[in-house]
Amino acid sequence: GHGATTAGPVWNFATSAPPNTPSNPSPANGATHQDVDVDLSWIGGDPDSDNVTYDVYLEANNSSPQTLVSGNHTGTSLDPGTLQCSTDYFWMIIARDEHGITTTGDAWHFTTQECPLYLPLILKNR
């Protein structure tokens, strides 16, 4: 109240950057005729070299996939299992670093190949 001041210590701190936005999807966004046993992969990482895990969402015929197929996934590729033929799949990745900071990637899509037609084989007794 009398105009007196006292200098305090200098404080400093650092902030953590968010993980890189998942990119470069495979299969490529919009890809068609993909095998029903396709593996998903992407580029991720973190600019601070923090450890990153990924939540992978995959859903048929829904441009906003909400089905979590792998949570806290440590790699940048995933085998989602055998998919359905002739189906549009949408998928997205949420990256999370060791500080809990997240980055949500775009929703990507691809279409699986048509189911093969099987014709019955008729054998005749000879």
Side-chain angles (χ1 to χ4, degrees):
H2 299 285
T5 61
T6 302
V10 175
W11 296 58
N12 63 14
F13 61 94
T15 59
S16 182
N20 297 332
T21 302
S23 63
N24 198 30
S26 178
N29 191 34
T32 58
H33 307 291
Q34 298 300 297
D35 192 281
V36 294
D37 290 317
V38 68
D39 288 340
L40 307 176
S41 67
W42 60 95
I43 293 177
D46 187 276
D48 303 326
S49 299
D50 292 333
N51 292 321
V52 178
T53 59
Y54 303 94
D55 291 342
V56 182
Y57 294 83
L58 174 70
E59 195 165 339
N61 305 313
N62 182 350
S63 62
S64 299
Q66 299 172 9
T67 301
L68 179 67
V69 295
S70 184
N72 293 317
H73 189 76
T74 57
T76 55
S77 64
L78 176 73
D79 177 357
T82 302
L83 303 175
Q84 296 177 354
C85 298
S86 303
T87 303
D88 290 326
Y89 281 94
F90 293 83
W91 63 298
M92 68 176 226
I93 309 293
I94 297 177
R96 181 178 297 103
D97 72 11
E98 60 194 65
H99 306 289
I101 301 171
T102 60
T103 300
T104 302
D106 294 332
W108 302 309
H109 80 279
F110 63 91
T111 304
T112 53
Q113 64 193 9
E114 293 183 21
C115 294
L117 296 175
Y118 293 101
L119 299 176
L121 178 61
I122 301 172
L123 299 176
K124 289 184 172 183
N125 289 334
R126 292 184 188 197

